[in-house]
Amino acid sequence: MQGVKDESSGGGGSGGGVVRKGPWTAEEDEILMEYVRKNGPRDWSSIRSKGLLPRTGKSCRLRWVNKLKPDLKTGCKFSPEEEHIVIDLQARFGNKWARIATYLPGRTDNDVKNFWSTRQKRLARILKTTALPAKSEKNLQQINSAVLPPPAFEPGPLPPCEGQCSSSLRYFDDNIEIPLLAEGSEMIPGFSDMSFHDESSFAPQGLPFFGLDLGLQGIKREPGSSETPDGFFDDFPTDMFDCLDHPPASSSTW
DNA sequence: AAACCCGTCAACCGCAGGACG
DNA sequence: TCGTCCTGCGGTTGACGGGTT
């Protein structure tokens, strides 16, 4: 993985010679940080052309953005609030990870992408295990509870924002201002612990995993974003939910 | 104890678009 | 206008560690 000649696409190809790939060493990190201190986060390709590092400009930039940049939340799991944001913004923007990451201080597009990928895998696995054994009553109940809103579910009104929003987790743009909850409060009754890291919470609380709006009014979908919140169902056979008496709501409700 | 599964993370690849000569 | 270079983005892969069987 190291010392591989790299003439791949994407620019940053000036300089010639052997290009190092693979994990970064502490020495390389230090050199890169020193370069950024002196020159700022730009002209990545000159790092190689000047012989400072045997890395492509792309590799240097990626390392800086994902690991070395100040104020990154490295090694810190996504909080429930951050999960809310990702889920809702993914529903709105689609797989625009870099854009979504701008709403999450300290998170990179790679973080968001990995988070979403893990979530997708988990969903796929859960649906696979719950849907496979045909139409037994028990499994039907499981799937229904996972895919469909709980019967008595009523999206509660948004709590007042003043003084309660976690300021670092309020996010804005031209069209939306979505208040987020103070720590410990519930956006929706019963959904306070919907971190998908807790698989046991999936079945009874499955709704949020499908990116439903969670009562967040004012979100406008962008043209081009998937009708289903995350294109999630695209990944499964069309007869996936044949066993359901009541299939998920039509796409117009997403 | 070993094999297997799964989640997380880091890094690479290919592509698109902008800047510039 | 065209070609080249550079940057940024999204998709994907592989390594690794922890938990489970």
Side-chain angles (χ1 to χ4, degrees):
Chain A
M1 214 35 191
Q2 297 174 5
V4 179
K5 181 89 171 176
D6 179 27
E7 299 300 339
S8 62
S9 68
S14 62
V18 173
V19 171
R20 181 180 153 82
K21 295 183 181 180
W24 281 66
T25 65
E27 290 77 16
E28 288 178 312
D29 283 345
E30 185 53 43
I31 292 171
L32 181 57
M33 291 182 74
E34 183 62 24
Y35 173 86
V36 173
R37 268 194 291 271
K38 289 180 179 173
N39 303 281
R42 57 179 171 273
D43 297 332
W44 299 111
S45 60
S46 69
I47 295 174
R48 183 178 164 212
S49 62
K50 290 178 180 174
L52 297 176
L53 283 173
R55 298 273 186 174
T56 65
K58 287 176 69 171
S59 180
C60 292
R61 176 190 156 272
L62 205 62
R63 182 66 180 173
W64 169 257
V65 168
N66 288 334
K67 290 299 292 183
L68 302 180
K69 205 164 74 171
D71 303 325
L72 292 178
K73 292 182 184 176
T74 51
C76 177
K77 284 186 183 300
F78 274 60
S79 68
E81 287 84 0
E82 288 175 312
E83 292 180 15
H84 283 306
I85 294 174
V86 173
I87 290 165
D88 290 313
L89 290 181
Q90 202 281 341
R92 180 165 181 260
F93 298 144
N95 294 357
K96 301 298 180 183
W97 308 123
R99 185 168 184 181
I100 292 171
T102 63
Y103 294 90
L104 297 165
R107 299 294 187 188
T108 69
D109 60 338
N110 215 29
D111 292 332
V112 178
K113 197 163 49 180
N114 283 332
F115 164 77
W116 193 259
S117 173
T118 299
R119 176 177 174 267
Q120 294 287 77
K121 285 179 191 171
R122 173 178 287 259
L123 282 168
R125 187 170 57 84
I126 290 171
L127 278 182
K128 188 178 177 182
T129 55
T130 54
L132 274 180
K135 298 188 180 181
S136 76
E137 189 61 32
K138 185 180 176 183
N139 282 315
L140 197 60
Q141 287 175 2
Q142 269 190 314
I143 295 167
N144 273 325
S145 64
V147 176
L148 300 174
F153 174 76
E154 287 291 341
L158 285 173
C161 181
E162 291 77 10
Q164 295 189 25
C165 295
S166 163
S167 61
S168 65
L169 290 173
R170 283 182 72 173
Y171 55 111
F172 304 85
D173 72 6
D174 296 340
N175 302 317
I176 58 173
E177 173 182 335
I178 300 175
L180 296 172
L181 300 178
E183 279 185 47
S185 62
E186 286 186 330
M187 183 177 287
I188 298 170
F191 282 83
S192 60
D193 183 26
M194 47 181 279
S195 165
F196 84 98
H197 297 298
D198 180 8
E199 187 169 322
S200 64
S201 69
F202 175 79
Q205 304 180 346
L207 180 60
F209 293 99
F210 296 88
L212 298 184
D213 281 342
L214 296 167
L216 300 177
Q217 288 98 16
I219 292 183
K220 289 192 243 170
R221 295 203 191 289
E222 276 201 338
S225 68
S226 55
E227 278 298 306
T228 51
D230 50 16
F232 172 68
F233 293 104
D234 296 346
D235 295 332
F236 298 96
T238 53
D239 60 351
M240 176 113 202
F241 299 103
D242 282 355
C243 58
L244 298 180
D245 292 327
H246 308 289
S250 67
S251 60
S252 62
T253 64
W254 290 89

